[in-house]
Amino acid sequence: MTYAHAGHAGGAVLDVASVGALTLASTLAVTYAWAALARRREPRGWSGRRAASFLAGCLLLGVALLPALSPYPPGDFRWHMAQHLLIGMVAPLLLVLGAPVTLLLRTLPRHQGRAVGRVLRSRPARLVANPATALTLNVGGLALLYFTPFYEVVEAHTAVHALVHLHFVAAGYLFAWVIAGPDPAPHRPSVPVRLVVLGAAVAFHALISQLLYAGIGVQVPVGEAERRGAGELMYYGGDLAELLLALALLSTWRPRRAPARTPVVAGT
Amino acid sequence: MATTAAQSRARDGIGLPGVVLGIGLGGFVDGILLHQILQWHHLLTSTDTDNIGVRYYPPDTVHGLEINTLWDGIFHAFTWLAVLVGLALLYSRVTVRARTWASRALWGWVLVGWGVFNLVEGIVDHHILGIHHVRAGEHQTLYDLGFLALGVLLVVAGWLLQRSAPVVDERRAR
């Protein structure tokens, strides 16, 4: 049984949601590239690697939502899952590694930069930047989508569909930023805590994909082949994306200061 | 002389985390590539010919595949635990901000860990217990020996790589 995917006109190259996503992604990319080029002319410059990472993230966001690129028939659940892996896990990590907030702080005039800093250190930011919040927004979003009748609502309304995509990007970005990345994060917990949170995310992700594969409690009205295929994609794809996040944590962490420093200075 | 001792100490410090990380990553290569994508074997696919009398779970029946998927899941949890513990160990031992991940010593030890994974899993699961083979059927012993040879190669290559590496934290205070 195939489920009619009301959001996409069958076989159309572009629909409203993809046009919106393309516009958003290209706006992000152009703004970042403009700011990065301006910083490159300064003595400190701007890392080409960060720029490449951010622009790749934007590109991925844009193309992952194009229905024409789907290897599956229109409305296939496996394509929906591949999109969520790309826009909710891989693209956010690439964006975070591009250090957009650092670029913003260096682009803005000083007093506006201070305002951004104040926002980052504020109480609401502390609440949102909590790893528990980030984890709940990610895992909770998945659970709501696959284990309640919400998926049918999403498929029936283009606007809701677009909002769900936006939620996946935002929640994925928040999680990647809380766990790793070069951007400032005043409330970011210690590396051991972040490793435990990443472990919990891995476990939940594996659990949800296994339940999807087995069809336990799933309320997504698709055929068994589609459901199993999507569960498999989520299982392997999620592993790869989480592994990349774990390595990003390694590449950007700031180890504790050497405890020996003070005694050495005092002693010599 | 003192620098040499300090250098070897710094390299030793990264050995255990690197090896544990490598065991986890090697497990991922095995789990994702051989179990899932190629589907050459699962954890219990050869228990009809094993050496310890585990019940047979043929992967082409629903029940057999369920049990194998469960054990693959436990294996999956083990590989993740090794990766996260490896990262935690590494973090606890690196005290100076440095490009740890770009260090030749770390990735040398990771290769050693991957090789250790292949050797332990190959000797215990394929040869002693016989609960599965790399690719069961014709020439299965050749596949199993190839898996061990890859393990030896990785250990040797990783060992040579880490030995040639400069110290990670050159700015170490002591």
Side-chain angles (χ1 to χ4, degrees):
Chain A
M1 162 193 147
T2 38
Y3 189 74
H5 196 289
H8 296 169
V13 177
L14 279 178
D15 57 11
V16 186
S18 337
V19 172
L22 274 182
T23 316
L24 199 69
S26 46
T27 312
L28 272 180
V30 169
T31 314
Y32 183 100
W34 169 77
L37 279 178
R39 300 289 79 68
R40 259 196 117 77
R41 282 194 283 271
E42 293 170 359
R44 267 174 84 191
W46 183 256
S47 151
R49 210 185 292 177
R50 285 181 177 178
S53 173
F54 192 89
L55 295 178
C58 292
L59 187 71
L60 200 57
L61 275 189
V63 299
L65 291 165
L66 292 183
L69 290 177
S70 167
Y72 305 106
D76 195 292
F77 187 49
R78 285 167 289 192
W79 176 237
H80 155 97
M81 186 58 74
Q83 284 182 319
H84 280 184
L85 286 170
L86 293 176
I87 68 167
M89 296 180 92
V90 184
L93 178 60
L94 288 170
L95 295 179
V96 162
L97 291 179
V101 178
T102 306
L103 182 59
L104 180 72
L105 287 174
R106 277 181 51 191
T107 302
L108 289 177
R110 187 159 295 164
H111 64 282
Q112 286 173 15
R114 279 211 201 94
V116 173
R118 267 199 301 280
V119 170
L120 280 178
R121 284 191 302 273
S122 67
R123 199 175 285 270
R126 179 191 288 263
L127 208 67
V128 174
N130 191 305
T133 313
L135 189 61
T136 312
L137 284 173
N138 276 282
V139 176
L142 291 171
L144 191 69
L145 196 53
Y146 303 138
F147 303 118
T148 72
F150 187 55
Y151 188 80
E152 287 189 69
V153 178
V154 172
E155 289 298 86
H157 300 91
T158 313
V160 184
H161 199 165
L163 281 178
V164 167
H165 281 326
L166 210 59
H167 168 85
F168 271 90
V169 178
Y173 185 90
L174 178 68
F175 190 71
W177 172 66
V178 166
I179 296 294
D183 266 343
H187 310 300
R188 190 180 270 161
S190 69
V191 166
V193 171
R194 282 185 270 154
L195 285 172
V196 170
V197 171
L198 183 58
V202 167
F204 279 125
H205 210 263
L207 180 71
I208 291 179
S209 52
Q210 293 277 38
L211 289 176
L212 266 181
Y213 187 82
I216 300 172
V218 183
Q219 297 206 28
V220 181
V222 297
E224 188 178 302
E226 274 184 46
R227 203 197 62 233
R228 293 204 158 192
E232 272 182 12
L233 262 178
M234 186 177 173
Y235 193 70
Y236 317 151
D239 260 0
L240 292 177
E242 282 149 356
L243 211 49
L244 289 179
L245 183 55
L247 294 180
L249 172 61
L250 166 65
S251 75
T252 58
W253 71 26
R254 301 281 176 267
R256 293 165 300 187
R257 288 215 174 80
R261 179 159 295 176
T262 327
V264 165
V265 172
T268 43
Chain B
M1 281 318 241
T3 18
T4 327
Q7 278 180 358
S8 70
R9 211 174 30 246
R11 278 207 293 259
D12 288 346
I14 216 168
L16 181 67
V19 169
V20 174
L21 195 57
I23 290 174
L25 292 173
F28 268 109
V29 174
D30 186 61
I32 295 182
L33 192 67
L34 300 186
H35 288 218
Q36 294 170 344
I37 295 178
L38 297 175
Q39 307 215 341
W40 277 6
H41 68 258
H42 300 281
L43 209 68
L44 301 175
T45 32
S46 294
T47 41
D48 51 338
T49 56
D50 68 325
N51 303 324
I52 49 167
V54 181
R55 246 185 78 188
Y56 182 43
Y57 299 105
D60 47 4
T61 67
V62 173
H63 177 68
L65 195 58
E66 273 172 5
I67 298 293
N68 269 298
T69 305
L70 171 69
W71 279 96
D72 281 355
I74 291 168
F75 175 68
H76 180 244
F78 161 78
T79 53
W80 261 113
L81 208 62
V83 167
L84 296 178
V85 167
L87 285 177
L89 281 174
L90 186 63
Y91 181 71
S92 71
R93 295 189 181 203
V94 177
T95 48
V96 176
R97 179 180 157 183
R99 290 195 171 277
T100 320
W101 58 280
S103 128
R104 209 187 294 167
L106 174 65
W107 295 107
W109 282 116
V110 165
L111 288 185
V112 171
W114 182 5
V116 167
F117 171 85
N118 270 31
L119 291 176
V120 172
E121 130 105 352
I123 292 171
V124 174
D125 289 343
H126 306 161
H127 295 282
I128 298 180
L129 302 179
I131 50 176
H132 67 259
H133 299 282
V134 174
R135 193 168 192 184
E138 224 188 331
H139 308 307
Q140 68 178 26
T141 313
L142 274 182
Y143 278 102
D144 286 352
L145 291 178
F147 193 78
L148 287 181
L150 178 64
V152 172
L153 200 71
L154 286 168
V155 169
V156 172
W159 176 264
L160 292 176
L161 191 64
Q162 66 82 22
R163 219 177 50 144
S164 71
V167 275
V168 183
D169 39 357
E170 289 153 342
R171 291 172 294 165
R172 182 175 278 242
R174 272 168 288 161

